[in-house]
Amino acid sequence: MALRLVSDFDLRKDVLPWLRAQRVASAAAGARGGGPGVLENNYESLRILNVERNGNVIYTYKDNKGNVFFGLYDCQTRQNEHLYTFEKDLHVVSCSVNSDRTLLAASLVHSTKEGRKNELQPGSKCLTLLVEIHPVNNVKVLKAVDSYIWVQFLYPHVESHPLPENHLLLVSEEKYIEKFHIQVIQEDGSRVVIKDSGHLPRERVAEDFVWAQWDMSEQRLYYIDLKKSRSILKCLQFSADEKFNLMFEAPLDITLSDSGFKLVNFGCDDLQDQENLSKHLTLCVFTNHTGHGKTFTAALGSVDSHVTKGLTFLNLDYYLAVYLPGHFFHLLNIQHPDLICHSLFLTGNSEVVDMLPHSPLQSLSGSLVLDWCSGKLYRALLNQSYLLQFLWNTQLDCEKMAVLHCVLSCGGDRRFLEAKIIQWISENISACHSFDLIQEFIIASSYWSMCPETSNMDKLLPYSSVLTWNTEIPGITLVTEEIALPFMKVHSFKGYWEKLNSNLEYVKYSKPHLHYNNSMVRREWHSLISEEKTGRRRSMVYVKNILDNATKVISNLEARNLEPRLTPLFQEADNHQRLLMGLMVSELKDHLLRHLQGVEKKKIEQMALDYVSKLLDLVCQIMETSWRKHSLHPCVPHFSGRASAAEFKVFHIMTRILEATKSLFLPLPPGFHTLHTILGVHCLPLHNLLHYIDSGVLLLTETAVTRLMKDLDNTEKNEKLKFSIIVRLPPLIGQKICRLWDHPMSSNIISRNHVKRLLQNYKKKPPSSVIHKSSFSVEFLPLNYFVEILTDIESSNQALYAFEGHDNVDAKFVEEAALKHTMMLLGL
C-alpha cells in the first residue's frame, strides 16, 4: 500500500500481558477480586482514552465488578503504570494526565445495569474529577453537570523540571471552554499535592461555539464561533506561561448554527454520532496562493463492497491522505495543489485501496495515527518501496507524475531513491506523452533536495517542468471555483505563524510568480556568446566572476562524488557550459536575495551553488547509470569499427538529456557535447549526422573536431566527413582545425580565409602594363594576376602577418593550394 502503518502501540501486545501478570501477582498474594481468568471475561472493556503530546497512552478497563482502572503506557520506556482506580461502575467520557504524572483529570457518567452508558436523560450527572496520583490522595470535583465534559491538560514546550502550575482545559457540550490553573506543592520529599484545592482559579477561553479542534502537537485550539448567524474561525495559541493568545480570526461564508456540536482530537470520540455517508463524497482543498477552491469528486466504485462509515483524513507532512475503505485512497499534494497531476488518486475496490483498516483513523501529532476500534497507535509513513513498484507498473501519465513527486518527498536515502528512479527512466524514457521524464526528474529532485532545509524555498524554486495539466484523470471530477480571500487577523509572526502570514501576504498583494526560471540566464548567455563571436567582450572582471562561480560549482560537485566516474566528463574546459552554470548561480543568488528575508548572504550563495551542483549531479547520475547498464568502457569511444548496440542506446539517452535541458536552458557537465558528438559520428550515417548538426542536436566542440581530424585517416569517406564538419564550424574554430588536417581541401579553406582577410579593405589600383611572371612554371594568367595582387598587398602591409594563426600563409601558399585543389577536382 502507498501508506505504511508502523505499529507504535497495541493494547493487546503492550498492555494485556502486563495486566495479566498484575492479576496473577495479586492472586498469588491472596488479594481479593478473582484470579487470572477474570480479565479474559472483560477483555472488551479495555480501550484507549487519550494520547498525550509526549506520546504516552492513557487506557482503561473494567474488572468483573465494574471498577474502572486507569493505566498509562510510557512510549519512551515502553513500561506500563497504574494511575488510579474508581471503585464504581462508571463510563469514562474523557481523561488526561499532566506531564509530571501527578494529576489525573477524568469525566465520567454512571453506567446502566445493562452495562451501557447512561444517555444523560434529565437528572443524570457527568462528574469531572481532579485526582492526586503521586501518591493517590485527594479527589476534587471540578464539574457535576447534565452534559458531557471533555478534559485536556496543556503540554507547553518547557524544560524537564516540573511546572509549579498546571493548566487544564474543560470543554463543555454546553458550548463553552474553560481553563483551570492548578498549583501543586511538594510535601514530605516526594508527595505532590494540590495547593489550595478549595479554590482553583479559572477563566473562560471560548463560548458559543459549535466546532472545536485541538492541535496537540502545537498546543493550539481552533474553534468556530457563532456571532449573529456568522461563523468565525478562531485560533488560540497556548504557551508555557499561563497566557493564551488569539492568533487569528477569519469569517467563514457558511452558517453552522444547525450543524450540531462536534469536537476533533479531544480524546476518544465514540460518544459522537458518525454522520451518514453522502452519495457523492467531496473534498474541498483551498490552495495557498491561487485563490481558488478545488473540489474533487471521487467515484465510489461497486456498491456491494464492504464499507465502514467514516471518511478518514491523515496529515502526512506534504500530503493529505484521504481514504474510504473499499472505495478510494487519495494522496493530495498540499505543498503544490495548483496542479492536479501532483496528487495521487487511487479509486475502486481493489487490493491497493482495501489494505488499510476498515475503521476510522484519527490523525494525531506528527505522523501518529490512532485506530480507536483496535486499540492500535500507528506511525503513518509513505511506503517508498510500494511507490517505486507502482511507478514501474502504472500506465497513466498522471500517476507517474504524482508518484515521482511522492517518492522524492519522502526523504531518506536520496541517492538510493534517485538511482531507482533513474533506472526506471532508462527503461521507460519514451513511455510518457504528457511530460518529459528526464525534465521532471531533474527539476523535482533538485526541488525536493533543497526545500525541506529552508523555510519559504518552496515558493522560490521551480518544482515541476509542467505548467498546466489538461489531461483527464480517471475516476476524478475536478471543479475549480474562484473564491474571495477571507479577511484574517494574524496576531503573531513566529514559526508557523510567520509562514501563514507569508502565504496571506502572497495572496493579498497578488505577487507575481516567484519561482525561479532561466529566462534572464538565457538572454545574458546569448549576449556573452555573441560578444565572443564578434571579438568584443565586456569587463573581464565580470566574466571572471562568472567563471569563478562555475569553478565553485564543479568543486562542490566533485567534493560530493568521491567515486571515480565511468563517463569521460569534466575532462575539458568547455567555456560555454561554464558560462552557463556560472550565470545560473549568479541569477539564482540574486533571486534568493530578493525574496529570502533574514537569511545570511553567505548561506544564500551556498544554496545557489548547491542547487546548480545538484542539477549537474543528476545529469551525471543518469549518464553513469546508462554507461554502467550498457557496460561501456570508461573512455571516449573510438571511431574505428561499427558502433555497438550499447553505444546507440547511450547516444539516444544523451540526446534525450540534451532535449530536456535545452528547453529549460540548464547547464550540462563540461565534456557532454564532446562525448555526444563523438558518439554521433560513430553511430550515425553521414546524412543523419549532418542533419543532427544543422538542427542543433549535436553541438560541434573544438575538442571533438580536433580528435576527429587526428584519429580518422584520409579515405574518401572520411575526407567527405571531415570537409562536411569543417565547413560547419564557427570561423575562429574552423581556422584552428584546418591546420590539423594535412589535405588539399584543408589548404584550400585556409587559403580562402587568408584571401578574405587580405581583401576586406582592398582598394583597386590603376592597372599596370607590366605583369611580373610568377615563379611557378604553370602558365595560368588569372591565377598569376591574382597572386600578383596578393603579393603586392603583403609587401605593402607587413602588419597583416601578425594576426593569430598565420602559420606562414602567404600568396605563395595560396597559389600552391589553388593548383592542388584544381588538380584534385580535375582528377589529375
Side-chain angles (χ1 to χ4, degrees):
M1 185 58 204
L3 191 66
R4 184 162 54 97
L5 298 180
V6 179
S7 179
D8 263 23
F9 170 78
D10 186 342
L11 276 175
R12 296 188 182 187
K13 295 180 180 179
D14 296 315
V15 175
L16 203 54
W18 178 76
L19 289 176
R20 288 172 177 162
Q22 292 290 102
R23 286 298 183 89
V24 170
S26 298
R32 297 180 181 179
V38 174
L39 188 61
E40 295 290 343
N41 299 327
N42 294 274
Y43 167 72
E44 292 79 7
S45 68
L46 182 61
R47 67 187 182 95
I48 294 175
L49 291 174
N50 201 359
V51 180
E52 301 290 6
R53 183 185 193 179
N54 53 18
N56 292 344
V57 182
I58 307 174
Y59 53 86
T60 183
Y61 80 94
K62 291 184 180 181
D63 62 16
N64 60 332
K65 295 182 179 179
N67 299 329
V68 181
F69 173 97
F70 289 86
L72 180 141
Y73 176 80
D74 190 318
C75 67
Q76 298 295 326
T77 64
R78 309 195 76 82
Q79 299 293 321
N80 287 279
E81 175 184 340
H82 173 236
L83 295 177
Y84 194 75
T85 300
F86 284 102
E87 296 182 350
K88 292 181 180 180
D89 190 1
L90 301 169
H91 182 87
V92 183
V93 176
S94 176
C95 178
S96 182
V97 66
N98 66 344
S99 57
D100 301 321
R101 302 185 204 171
T102 57
L103 299 175
L104 174 72
S107 289
L108 310 102
V109 295
H110 291 286
S111 295
T112 61
K113 293 181 180 179
E114 291 80 10
R116 298 178 61 189
K117 64 181 182 294
N118 188 317
E119 296 300 339
L120 295 179
Q121 297 297 324
S124 62
K125 297 289 184 182
C126 174
L127 290 175
T128 303
L129 305 175
L130 182 64
V131 182
E132 296 172 355
I133 57 174
H134 189 69
V136 174
N137 188 26
N138 186 36
V139 176
K140 176 174 176 56
V141 177
L142 296 179
K143 291 282 184 180
V145 292
D146 293 337
S147 59
Y148 288 131
I149 297 288
W150 286 263
V151 291
Q152 179 60 60
F153 275 105
L154 300 183
Y155 277 66
H157 287 292
V158 291
E159 300 296 331
S160 57
H161 60 270
L163 288 172
E165 187 170 73
N166 295 269
H167 306 286
L168 177 68
L169 292 181
L170 266 69
V171 184
S172 172
E173 197 176 28
E174 294 180 351
K175 302 179 180 179
Y176 67 85
I177 301 175
E178 290 183 331
K179 179 184 176 186
F180 278 78
H181 304 268
I182 307 163
Q183 285 193 325
V184 294
I185 55 175
Q186 208 164 1
E187 295 180 348
D188 302 331
S190 60
R191 289 170 54 89
V192 178
V193 298
I194 301 172
K195 181 182 179 181
D196 193 10
S197 60
H199 176 69
L200 297 179
R202 59 182 175 179
E203 58 186 313
R204 188 62 59 100
V205 171
E207 57 186 3
D208 195 19
F209 70 94
V210 293
W211 172 90
Q213 178 173 331
W214 176 241
D215 182 352
M216 178 67 80
S217 62
E218 300 299 331
Q219 299 288 281
R220 300 183 193 127
L221 174 67
Y222 299 89
Y223 65 98
I224 296 178
D225 193 359
L226 295 181
K227 297 292 185 182
K228 297 181 180 179
S229 301
R230 293 186 66 202
S231 302
I232 301 177
L233 175 65
K234 295 183 178 181
C235 178
L236 301 179
Q237 176 75 69
F238 294 89
S239 55
D241 55 23
E242 62 184 47
K243 297 179 181 178
F244 58 89
N245 298 314
L246 177 66
M247 304 311 295
F248 73 76
E249 50 185 317
L252 306 178
D253 294 330
I254 55 176
T255 176
L256 298 173
S257 56
D258 299 325
S259 61
F261 181 78
K262 180 69 177 177
L263 295 180
V264 181
N265 288 0
F266 277 97
C268 181
D269 59 354
D270 66 334
L271 297 180
Q272 300 192 52
D273 294 332
Q274 295 290 335
E275 296 178 359
N276 294 327
L277 295 175
S278 61
K279 186 177 180 181
H280 299 288
L281 294 170
T282 59
L283 171 67
C284 189
V285 180
F286 296 95
T287 64
N288 66 339
H289 64 271
T290 58
H292 293 81
K294 293 182 181 292
T295 303
F296 301 103
T297 304
L300 291 181
S302 58
V303 294
D304 57 348
S305 60
H306 175 70
V307 180
T308 302
K309 293 180 180 180
L311 185 66
T312 300
F313 299 83
L314 302 177
N315 185 8
L316 301 172
D317 202 4
Y318 298 111
Y319 287 85
L320 180 68
V322 187
Y323 84 95
L324 181 64
H327 288 283
F328 60 78
F329 174 84
H330 301 330
L331 283 174
L332 303 181
N333 189 320
I334 54 178
Q335 183 84 345
H336 299 292
D338 45 333
L339 284 177
I340 188 174
C341 59
H342 286 165
S343 299
L344 180 62
F345 301 93
L346 303 177
T347 59
N349 184 15
S350 64
E351 182 181 352
V352 172
V353 177
D354 215 33
M355 287 177 64
L356 289 172
H358 279 218
S359 56
L361 301 181
Q362 181 177 341
S363 182
L364 303 178
S365 61
S367 59
L368 288 178
V369 180
L370 183 59
D371 183 351
W372 294 107
C373 297
S374 67
K376 293 181 180 180
L377 184 65
Y378 299 100
R379 193 165 299 278
L381 305 170
L382 290 172
N383 190 341
Q384 288 183 343
S385 60
Y386 170 82
L387 291 171
L388 285 169
Q389 182 183 1
F390 188 85
L391 198 59
W392 280 89
N393 297 332
T394 183
Q395 300 299 314
L396 299 177
D397 283 6
C398 58
E399 292 182 345
K400 292 172 187 174
M401 171 76 81
V403 175
L404 176 63
H405 280 264
C406 202
V407 169
L408 291 171
S409 72
C410 295
D413 188 346
R414 189 162 295 280
R415 200 79 178 181
F416 169 79
L417 288 177
E418 289 169 350
K420 289 292 185 182
I421 295 173
I422 290 171
Q423 183 183 357
W424 167 70
I425 290 174
S426 65
E427 296 289 337
N428 300 271
I429 195 163
S430 301
C432 280
H433 305 287
S434 306
F435 65 98
D436 186 302
L437 276 178
I438 295 178
Q439 259 188 7
E440 191 64 19
F441 168 66
I442 290 175
I443 294 298
S445 188
S446 301
Y447 171 86
W448 287 109
S449 67
M450 296 290 293
C451 283
E453 299 176 3
T454 307
S455 177
N456 292 326
M457 285 286 281
D458 56 313
K459 292 191 183 71
L460 303 178
L461 293 178
Y463 58 90
S464 176
S465 63
V466 176
L467 299 179
T468 58
W469 186 273
N470 300 317
T471 308
E472 181 181 350
I473 295 180
I476 296 295
T477 302
L478 169 64
V479 177
T480 303
E481 296 176 307
E482 193 161 335
I483 59 174
L485 182 68
F487 176 74
M488 184 178 288
K489 298 178 183 177
V490 180
H491 303 275
S492 178
F493 303 107
K494 294 181 180 179
Y496 165 84
W497 305 106
E498 182 180 12
K499 179 77 171 179
L500 175 62
N501 185 67
S502 172
N503 288 341
L504 291 174
E505 293 296 308
Y506 186 91
V507 180
K508 182 178 178 181
Y509 295 108
S510 301
K511 291 184 179 180
H513 202 54
L514 293 180
H515 291 116
Y516 171 82
N517 67 74
N518 269 348
S519 58
M520 287 291 293
V521 174
R522 185 190 301 267
R523 289 194 294 270
E524 186 67 5
W525 187 82
H526 282 303
S527 175
L528 286 172
I529 298 303
S530 176
E531 291 172 4
E532 181 185 79
K533 290 179 180 178
T534 58
R536 297 190 301 270
R537 179 60 67 85
R538 68 190 72 179
S539 167
M540 292 304 296
V541 175
Y542 172 73
V543 177
K544 184 179 182 300
N545 288 337
I546 293 173
L547 293 176
D548 285 345
N549 286 340
T551 302
K552 292 176 184 177
V553 168
I554 294 174
S555 299
N556 196 20
L557 182 58
E558 292 300 318
R560 295 181 178 187
N561 185 49
L562 301 178
E563 299 180 1
R565 295 188 188 277
L566 286 175
T567 50
L569 300 174
F570 299 100
Q571 295 180 5
E572 63 179 272
D574 199 343
N575 279 344
H576 285 187
Q577 290 305 308
R578 287 175 179 262
L579 279 175
L580 183 53
M581 68 177 76
L583 280 172
M584 187 173 181
V585 170
S586 180
E587 290 296 332
L588 179 58
K589 180 179 66 177
D590 291 344
H591 176 75
L592 296 179
L593 283 171
R594 281 193 299 270
H595 302 292
L596 272 185
Q597 303 298 324
V599 182
E600 295 179 0
K601 182 179 179 180
K602 189 174 182 180
K603 186 176 181 180
I604 288 179
E605 289 176 352
Q606 189 61 46
M607 288 178 188
L609 286 173
D610 288 343
Y611 185 77
V612 179
S613 300
K614 184 65 180 179
L615 292 173
L616 288 168
D617 181 53
L618 293 171
V619 173
C620 291
Q621 284 189 57
I622 298 173
M623 288 287 295
E624 289 284 309
T625 300
S626 178
W627 216 258
R628 191 177 295 107
K629 176 183 177 182
H630 298 292
S631 304
L632 291 188
H633 194 270
C635 294
V636 180
H638 295 284
F639 293 114
S640 59
R642 297 185 60 183
S644 65
E647 288 173 328
F648 271 103
K649 290 178 180 177
V650 171
F651 175 74
H652 178 61
I653 289 284
M654 292 189 72
T655 303
R656 294 300 298 267
I657 292 173
L658 187 64
E659 290 173 353
T661 55
K662 189 175 182 180
S663 61
L664 297 174
F665 213 71
L666 301 178
L668 287 165
F672 181 93
H673 287 295
T674 294
L675 180 58
H676 191 215
T677 299
I678 291 174
L679 280 171
V681 171
H682 196 38
C683 294
L684 299 175
L686 181 58
H687 63 281
N688 284 7
L689 175 70
L690 299 181
H691 174 70
Y692 271 50
I693 294 172
D694 293 338
S695 60
V697 176
L698 287 177
L699 184 64
L700 297 174
T701 64
E702 184 176 344
T703 304
V705 180
T706 299
R707 183 173 170 193
L708 181 75
M709 295 299 162
K710 289 182 177 180
D711 289 3
L712 288 180
D713 56 21
N714 287 331
T715 63
E716 183 179 351
K717 179 181 177 181
N718 289 343
E719 284 181 352
K720 189 175 181 181
L721 168 63
K722 289 182 178 181
F723 177 70
S724 301
I725 294 293
I726 285 179
V727 297
R728 285 168 167 80
L729 291 174
L732 291 177
I733 298 179
Q735 290 179 23
K736 295 180 183 179
I737 297 301
C738 284
R739 290 169 175 79
L740 301 175
W741 186 22
D742 185 14
H743 190 272
M745 186 63 71
S746 178
S747 299
N748 181 41
I749 295 172
I750 295 172
S751 299
R752 287 172 183 269
N753 290 333
H754 178 75
V755 170
K756 180 181 178 181
R757 184 178 183 86
L758 287 180
L759 298 181
Q760 274 181 343
N761 300 314
Y762 174 67
K763 294 181 180 180
K764 188 176 181 181
K765 296 181 179 180
S768 174
S769 58
V770 180
I771 298 179
H772 298 288
K773 190 173 181 179
S774 172
S775 58
F776 288 93
S777 59
V778 179
E779 296 292 340
F780 185 32
L781 187 60
L783 180 59
N784 291 343
Y785 180 74
F786 182 62
V787 169
E788 198 68 38
I789 293 175
L790 297 181
T791 304
D792 185 49
I793 296 174
E794 290 172 353
S795 62
S796 63
N797 191 356
Q798 293 296 323
L800 289 170
Y801 288 89
F803 68 83
E804 182 185 358
H806 177 264
D807 288 349
N808 298 318
V809 179
D810 55 12
K812 182 178 179 181
F813 180 87
V814 171
E815 185 176 24
E816 289 177 349
L819 290 172
K820 289 180 182 178
H821 186 56
T822 303
M823 293 174 67
M824 185 182 73
L825 293 176
L826 296 175
L828 298 177

